[in-house]
Amino acid sequence: MAYVITQRCCNDASCVPECPVDCIRPTPEQPEFATTEQLYIDPDTCIDCGACVDACPVEAIFSEDDLTASLARFRDINATYFERHPLESNFDPLVTPVRPPKDLGTLRVAIVGAGPAACYSADELLRRADVEVEMFDRLPTPWGLVRAGVAPDHPGTKTVSGMFESAFRRETLQYHLNVEVGEHISHDELLAHHHAVIYAVGASTDRQLNVPGEDLPGSHSATEFVAWYNGHPDYADRTFDLSGERAVIVGNGNVALDVARVLTLDPDDLAKTDIADHALDALRASNIREVVVLGRRGPLQAAYTSPEFLALGYLKGIDVIIDPAELELDPESRALLDDPDIEPSLRLKYELAQEYAAKTPNPENKRIVFRYLASPTAVTGSEHVEGVEFVHNELYSDNGRLAARATDRTESVPASLVLRSIGYRGEPVADLPFDDAAGVVPNEHGRVVADAAHVPGVYVSGWIKRGPRGVIGSNRIDAQETVERLIDDFIAGKLAAPEGDRAALKALLAERQPDLVGREGWKAIDTAERSAGKSGGRPRVKLTTREDLLKAARG
């Protein structure tokens, strides 16, 4: 018997060093780690010890004997990876990370943001140094996209927050929630109270389609929709027209699949999750029966991961619809598919699409329809969205990369709701340099750079550092890199000693923001939400307005 890594793998690699026989791949040191869809366990080497299970922060690892029907295929998915990448031992001596000498005193670090990148950075600092960490977020709640971005029907993915809760119990880390840097405290004031500041503010906006009609009522970003159904207080009052029978999602990454599921799942199933009550009420009244997912390139280049695509086939009362004609491949894609060295995950994407195309749909079911090689040219309608016009694309080789270009074939599809899901984008951070083209703060391995020089004491982590790519766990390795540079600079004497201490910071914030939410306030919010959910068999009932959140924090 072996253990198997399944769909909800977060790629943070916590399991890798725990395996006593070194059979989990890829490791962070390997080139393929940066692009892998998930991690895998070699079934021929696994000794069934369960160490990886205890280390996994999202409960993604199961004994092969305990796999449910929807996860059973992951037994073969794990094994197939090692057919392509035979296991080679990485038994190199472990390098103990350098800790700052005690005579340097306590390292004080401010972290702006409270999402995964911020939390992994804080966790790494707490492991590596005698440190005081002050964590700031403009919302009254921590966890960022773990709370406001992960789909409600993926509760296992959200369990990573439990790891952070456990790590942050000590007083060495303090929460300063409902505090906006730039309003309640400036960048210069942060530097005056800390040796260093790490900005882990993510990529908060979405990319535009830049087509006519994009601003019509009924056309929104998936970012808004996700934040709305997850109860983000900035989006709780939004409304989405669910009166029509068809919605169109532009883009086919995992966020698009999340949105498609939420629009088509039985509301009674969603009622068992932490979805916001206002969203659940709206979805109960929804008339949407079909969601069309438009992808710019072909089925081999689709942005979704194969585990998420596989999971669609096990949704109750929902058919995945793909026209076999959509799976006809251009010569370059066909050559890639026929290559015996193709990555198993890429082959699986195509095999799954073929399986969906071969199934006979049930006319009573709702539908998620995949269209490939399609780019929107207009959102149509006079006063409200009425449909989407799109052009059929073809693929061509652009310096060795398959890119899409428009043909003369066009089509339209009626719809009353259009959601664009074509990627996130970072926004400028006050008093920091910004690369507008890339949507990131310029940096070298996490050290912020301005005019070709490092900005002393200022660092970045997460999407504002590397751009909006990777999953939750990708931030762990990213944070380790940033913290490594920060500690190197501290040891080298490159960080100015803070002028104010923790007590001075606390006094300043109390004056500037009387509604600050600290550790006890967040505990009170968490308890109130969990208690409200308990009677309904739900993990929590989210408070979705600042007023209610602050009331709970005080209570």
Side-chain angles (χ1 to χ4, degrees):
M1 183 177 70
Y3 280 89
V4 177
I5 301 179
T6 65
Q7 173 192 343
R8 66 177 66 141
C9 176
C10 73
N11 289 24
D12 89 339
S14 294
C15 56
V16 172
E18 300 304 317
C19 177
V21 292
D22 190 35
C23 72
I24 302 176
R25 294 290 185 276
T27 65
E29 297 77 22
Q30 295 178 303
E32 56 266 32
F33 181 84
T35 57
T36 191
E37 291 188 335
Q38 64 166 86
L39 305 185
Y40 307 87
I41 294 174
D42 180 21
D44 294 333
T45 309
C46 177
I47 61 172
D48 188 27
C49 70
C52 56
V53 179
D54 296 334
C56 179
V58 293
E59 302 175 356
I61 306 178
F62 296 83
S63 163
E64 61 180 340
D65 290 346
D66 295 332
L67 294 171
T68 61
S70 63
L71 299 178
R73 197 162 181 167
F74 283 92
R75 181 189 296 108
D76 293 335
I77 290 171
N78 277 245
T80 300
Y81 177 84
F82 290 95
E83 293 174 6
R84 171 70 175 81
H85 301 278
L87 186 67
E88 295 181 2
S89 178
N90 277 354
F91 278 127
D92 294 328
L94 292 177
V95 177
T96 303
V98 175
R99 292 181 63 89
K102 289 186 177 181
D103 59 7
L104 290 180
T106 301
L107 171 63
R108 282 189 47 75
V109 181
I111 299 179
V112 182
C119 291
Y120 277 116
S121 297
D123 184 49
E124 186 67 13
L125 282 165
L126 294 171
R127 294 172 187 268
R128 295 282 307 275
D130 174 14
V131 66
E132 290 179 347
V133 177
E134 316 289 344
M135 183 175 285
F136 296 81
D137 198 277
R138 68 182 191 84
L139 293 179
T141 57
W143 317 143
L145 286 180
V146 175
R147 178 180 170 95
V150 175
D153 63 328
H154 280 12
T157 305
K158 302 186 182 193
T159 58
V160 69
S161 62
M163 179 183 73
F164 298 140
E165 286 276 23
S166 178
F168 299 165
R169 285 175 181 166
R170 291 175 290 164
E171 294 298 314
T172 47
L173 182 140
Q174 293 290 335
Y175 295 105
H176 305 288
L177 307 175
N178 202 39
V179 173
E180 185 152 7
V181 174
E183 178 180 343
H184 300 116
I185 188 170
S186 70
H187 170 72
D188 288 342
E189 287 171 331
L190 285 178
L191 283 174
H193 289 81
H194 304 87
H195 290 92
V197 182
I198 299 175
Y199 284 88
V201 294
S204 57
T205 61
D206 56 277
R207 298 183 183 277
Q208 302 288 310
L209 294 174
N210 296 318
V211 300
E214 183 175 10
D215 296 327
L216 278 170
S219 173
H220 309 268
S221 73
T223 306
E224 293 176 71
F225 191 70
V226 170
W228 170 75
Y229 67 60
N230 272 318
H232 191 298
D234 291 351
Y235 296 87
D237 61 350
R238 302 293 171 93
T239 57
F240 297 87
D241 186 355
L242 308 179
S243 63
E245 292 194 353
R246 180 183 291 114
V248 172
I249 303 174
V250 181
N252 62 8
N254 284 349
V255 172
L257 269 57
D258 287 346
V259 171
R261 289 197 319 276
V262 169
L263 284 169
T264 52
L265 282 169
D266 186 334
D268 286 342
D269 291 333
L270 287 172
K272 302 169 187 174
T273 73
D274 67 352
I275 190 169
D277 282 349
H278 59 252
L280 183 61
D281 291 342
L283 290 165
R284 286 194 184 281
S286 171
N287 291 325
I288 290 177
R289 301 283 306 169
E290 178 177 286
V291 177
V292 178
V293 181
L294 299 181
R296 183 170 54 91
R297 297 190 291 168
L300 280 180
Q301 296 81 30
Y304 51 70
T305 59
S306 54
E308 292 298 321
F309 194 40
L310 169 62
L312 295 181
Y314 294 92
L315 298 178
K316 183 179 65 176
I318 301 170
D319 286 324
V320 179
I321 306 296
I322 300 177
D323 186 333
E326 297 275 337
L327 303 182
E328 295 178 3
L329 299 178
D330 59 281
E332 289 85 355
S333 294
R334 173 54 63 182
L336 177 62
L337 186 64
D338 292 340
D339 185 341
D341 291 330
I342 186 176
E343 282 295 328
S345 60
L346 198 58
R347 187 184 300 280
L348 178 60
K349 273 187 184 180
Y350 191 73
E351 290 175 351
L352 289 170
Q354 288 180 307
E355 292 172 15
Y356 292 139
K359 289 183 178 179
T360 301
N362 181 343
E364 300 298 318
N365 284 351
K366 294 180 182 179
R367 299 153 53 99
I368 299 176
V369 181
F370 285 85
R371 302 294 305 270
Y372 301 101
L373 292 169
S375 292
T377 54
V379 178
T380 59
S382 53
E383 297 181 357
H384 189 279
V385 168
E386 297 176 10
V388 175
E389 293 178 351
F390 60 91
V391 64
H392 290 268
N393 296 327
E394 63 182 6
L395 296 181
Y396 70 101
S397 181
D398 180 16
N399 294 322
R401 176 179 175 273
L402 283 179
R405 64 187 173 196
T407 67
D408 58 2
R409 294 173 53 225
T410 60
E411 194 176 333
S412 62
V413 58
S416 58
L417 176 66
V418 175
L419 299 169
R420 63 183 182 275
S421 182
I422 54 175
Y424 293 90
R425 175 179 169 78
E427 286 286 283
V429 178
D431 300 315
L432 267 62
F434 190 70
D435 181 340
D436 191 63
V440 300
V441 171
N443 69 93
E444 290 181 355
H445 304 292
R447 292 184 177 108
V448 172
V449 173
D451 300 323
H454 295 156
V455 180
V458 186
Y459 304 82
V460 284
S461 185
W463 281 1
I464 199 65
K465 169 187 173 183
R466 68 181 189 275
R469 60 182 183 272
V471 293
I472 287 173
S474 307
N475 292 293
R476 180 171 179 257
I477 306 303
D478 182 285
Q480 287 175 347
E481 179 184 64
T482 294
V483 170
E484 183 73 28
R485 287 352 185 245
L486 189 159
I487 288 178
D488 285 348
D489 293 345
F490 182 53
I491 294 172
K494 296 179 180 179
L495 304 182
E499 300 168 10
D501 59 11
R502 175 169 272 184
L505 176 68
K506 185 176 180 179
L508 175 66
L509 292 173
E511 178 184 344
R512 300 274 184 83
Q513 173 53 308
D515 287 327
L516 180 149
V517 176
R519 183 186 307 277
E520 295 306 314
W522 160 237
K523 281 184 179 179
I525 292 171
D526 188 43
T527 299
E529 291 185 337
R530 290 180 184 273
S531 297
K534 190 173 183 179
S535 60
R538 302 174 64 183
R540 67 174 66 236
V541 173
K542 287 180 178 174
L543 300 170
T544 60
T545 68
R546 285 181 184 269
E547 181 181 4
D548 287 343
L549 287 163
L550 294 177
K551 182 179 178 181
R554 299 186 195 105

